[in-house]
Amino acid sequence: QIENRQGQLEDQEKQTQQQVGQVKAEADQANQGVSTVNERVSNLDNYTQADKKSVYFKYGSSVLTDEDKQTLDQISQEAQTQKAYVIEVAGFADPTGKAARNQTLSEHRAQSVMTYLEEQGNIPIRRILTPAGLGSTHQVNDNRTKQDREQNRRVDVTIYVNQGVVASGQVNGN
């Protein structure tokens, strides 16, 4: 009887060890899930740049050319392949002329781009951050030549993707 009971106890011990192993595996899986959620929550305010393009304007103008529209169509298409994206629109002017006029012109350029993205690019309003006109700040060239000034009369359009939402590593897709 003692040997029989000892065999039963050994069988129960093996079953208990298997159950403990299973519970440990489930606990590890649960901890991994909690870690994943914590990472996603921590990254809710982290954005990664997915794409950036610039459109350029003639002196004193905020009118989009056909070439500019093609560039904005490309960025619209790229944005719509992303999950959890926002678009930043920043307008600039070269330093020629009065600062107040350049500020207004940069704002009109940014507004022009935003309107095109909404109306023609089918980008939802909620996806576009408030457009900013930054006047003649943030120059990309030193303005010594006509070509330098042309490069500074621009609107930068940047797509950012929210890393908290796409923390699983899948950035593309809807």
Side-chain angles (χ1 to χ4, degrees), residues 147-163:
Q147 291 80 16
D148 288 348
R149 289 185 294 278
E150 287 173 355
Q151 293 294 306
N152 289 324
R153 294 191 299 265
R154 72 192 190 282
V155 170
D156 293 334
V157 183
T158 310
I159 301 171
Y160 291 102
V161 176
N162 184 301
Q163 294 305 295

Side-chain angles (χ1 to χ4, degrees), residues 126-174:
R126 65 184 160 72
R127 297 281 189 187
I128 300 175
L129 301 174
T130 302
L134 300 171
S136 57
T137 64
H138 302 86
Q139 301 295 304
V140 292
N141 286 314
D142 60 14
N143 295 302
R144 290 183 192 170
T145 67
K146 179 181 176 185
Q147 291 80 16
D148 288 348
R149 289 185 294 278
E150 287 173 355
Q151 293 294 306
N152 289 324
R153 294 191 299 265
R154 72 192 190 282
V155 170
D156 293 334
V157 183
T158 310
I159 301 171
Y160 291 102
V161 176
N162 184 301
Q163 294 305 295
V165 175
V166 295
S168 64
Q170 180 185 356
V171 175
N172 289 333
N174 289 331

Side-chain angles (χ1 to χ4, degrees), residues 9-170:
L9 290 174
E10 287 174 1
D11 289 343
Q12 285 179 347
E13 182 181 4
K14 286 179 186 176
Q15 288 176 352
T16 302
Q17 287 177 353
Q18 288 175 346
Q19 289 173 347
V20 166
Q22 186 176 5
V23 167
K24 283 183 179 180
E26 290 172 1
D28 289 344
Q29 187 176 7
N31 284 336
Q32 180 61 41
V34 169
S35 294
T36 300
V37 169
N38 284 341
E39 181 181 345
R40 289 185 75 177
V41 169
S42 294
N43 282 322
L44 281 177
D45 64 345
N46 290 335
Y47 290 82
T48 300
Q49 181 177 314
D51 197 4
K52 181 177 182 176
K53 295 195 183 327
S54 297
V55 292
Y56 301 94
F57 294 85
K58 293 180 181 177
Y59 177 78
S61 174
S62 61
V63 176
L64 294 168
T65 64
D66 289 340
E67 183 180 336
D68 296 333
K69 292 174 183 179
Q70 288 177 350
T71 300
L72 294 174
D73 289 342
Q74 290 171 0
I75 203 135
S76 295
Q77 290 169 358
E78 171 64 25
Q80 292 175 17
T81 67
Q82 300 294 331
K83 182 177 182 181
Y85 72 91
V86 293
I87 297 177
E88 177 184 82
V89 177
F92 301 94
D94 70 40
T96 306
K98 294 183 178 181
R101 169 75 175 126
N102 289 335
Q103 179 63 39
T104 300
L105 189 55
S106 68
E107 291 168 2
H108 289 166
R109 288 173 176 164
Q111 185 64 45
S112 215
V113 166
M114 186 187 83
T115 299
Y116 185 87
L117 290 172
E118 291 169 348
E119 293 177 0
Q120 304 303 315
N122 295 315
I123 301 295
I125 294 169
R126 65 184 160 72
R127 297 281 189 187
I128 300 175
L129 301 174
T130 302
L134 300 171
S136 57
T137 64
H138 302 86
Q139 301 295 304
V140 292
N141 286 314
D142 60 14
N143 295 302
R144 290 183 192 170
T145 67
K146 179 181 176 185
Q147 291 80 16
D148 288 348
R149 289 185 294 278
E150 287 173 355
Q151 293 294 306
N152 289 324
R153 294 191 299 265
R154 72 192 190 282
V155 170
D156 293 334
V157 183
T158 310
I159 301 171
Y160 291 102
V161 176
N162 184 301
Q163 294 305 295
V165 175
V166 295
S168 64
Q170 180 185 356

Side-chain angles (χ1 to χ4, degrees), residues 1-13:
Q1 281 183 336
I2 291 177
E3 287 177 8
N4 191 18
R5 181 70 178 141
Q6 183 177 0
Q8 289 175 347
L9 290 174
E10 287 174 1
D11 289 343
Q12 285 179 347
E13 182 181 4

